[in-house]
């Protein structure tokens, strides 16, 4: 009886250890969400590739420089620090072994500087690419969910 259990445990550990690009990309988004919820500015920007582009929730320009992305998140964290970031649903598309698109719906909630609680429902798309041995966000777009 011990032998089959040992083989099963070995097979399970091999399959977990060999997570694919979709799983790797999802883990990056989870780590990004935690850094955002923790208001960890350095952590947030560390997930972006140097050539990343981004359109923020109420953005009116496409950000193309790391300092623009940093400034955007710095303002967001100072004005309305998030408490939670939750991805409600998401679809993951494997473009190739080094590129993944994750699109879905999320909720960001927290308390404004004036003490008022807020909740922001949104649509979000991450494009994540493997650069060297690391997965990085190469594009992020988030927009508010329409009321109707």
């Amino acid at each position: 009886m011990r032998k089959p259990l040992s083989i099963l445990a070995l097979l399970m550990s091999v399959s977990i250890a060999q997570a694919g690009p979709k799983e790797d990309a999802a883990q990056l988004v989870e780590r990004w969400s935690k850094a955002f919820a923790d208001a960890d500015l350095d952590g947030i920007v560390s997930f972006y590739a140097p050539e990343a582009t981004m359109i923020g929730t109420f953005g009116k320009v496409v950000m193309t420089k790391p300092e623009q992305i940093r400034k955007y998140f710095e303002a967001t964290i100072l004005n309305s620090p998030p408490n939670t970031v939750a991805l409600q649903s998401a679809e993951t598309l494997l473009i190739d072994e080094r590129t993944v698109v994750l699109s879905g719906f999320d909720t960001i909630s927290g308390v404004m500087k004036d003490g008022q609680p807020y909740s922001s429902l949104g649509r979000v798309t991450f494009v994540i690419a493997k650069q060297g041995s690391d997965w990085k966000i190469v594009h992020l777009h988030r927009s508010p969910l329409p009321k109707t």
Side-chain angles (χ1 to χ4, degrees):
M1 183 69 155
R2 282 188 173 186
K3 198 172 212 176
L5 288 177
S6 298
I7 292 170
L8 179 61
L10 177 62
L11 289 174
M12 287 176 60
S13 68
V14 168
S15 66
I16 291 170
Q18 294 180 355
K22 285 183 175 185
E23 293 81 10
D24 292 341
Q27 287 176 1
L28 175 73
V29 171
E30 283 180 37
R31 291 192 320 270
W32 178 92
S33 296
K34 181 175 179 350
F36 188 74
D38 291 345
D40 176 3
L41 182 61
D42 291 333
I44 294 166
V45 298
S46 74
F47 294 113
Y48 288 84
E51 71 280 4
T53 59
M54 186 179 126
I55 302 172
T57 302
F58 298 104
K60 295 183 181 180
V61 299
V62 178
M63 292 172 261
T64 60
K65 296 180 174 54
E67 56 273 9
Q68 290 173 303
I69 294 170
R70 181 180 192 82
K71 190 174 182 179
Y72 175 86
F73 283 111
E74 184 175 32
T76 300
I77 289 169
L78 290 175
N79 291 326
S80 55
N83 290 7
T84 61
V85 179
L87 200 59
Q88 268 69 50
S89 64
E91 297 294 327
T92 307
L93 174 64
L94 179 65
I95 302 297
D96 59 39
E97 292 301 310
R98 300 182 68 80
T99 313
V100 176
V101 176
L102 188 144
S103 296
F105 299 94
D106 69 359
T107 303
I108 298 172
S109 60
V111 178
M112 301 289 277
K113 284 175 59 175
D114 64 5
Q116 293 297 314
Y118 73 91
S119 184
S120 172
L121 304 176
R123 303 172 288 197
V124 64
T125 299
F126 289 88
V127 180
I128 301 160
K130 192 162 192 180
Q131 298 189 337
S133 61
D134 296 324
W135 287 91
K136 295 288 186 177
I137 298 168
V138 295
H139 180 73
L140 171 66
H141 177 219
R142 185 177 189 275
S143 58
L145 194 63
K147 303 264 187 241
T148 58

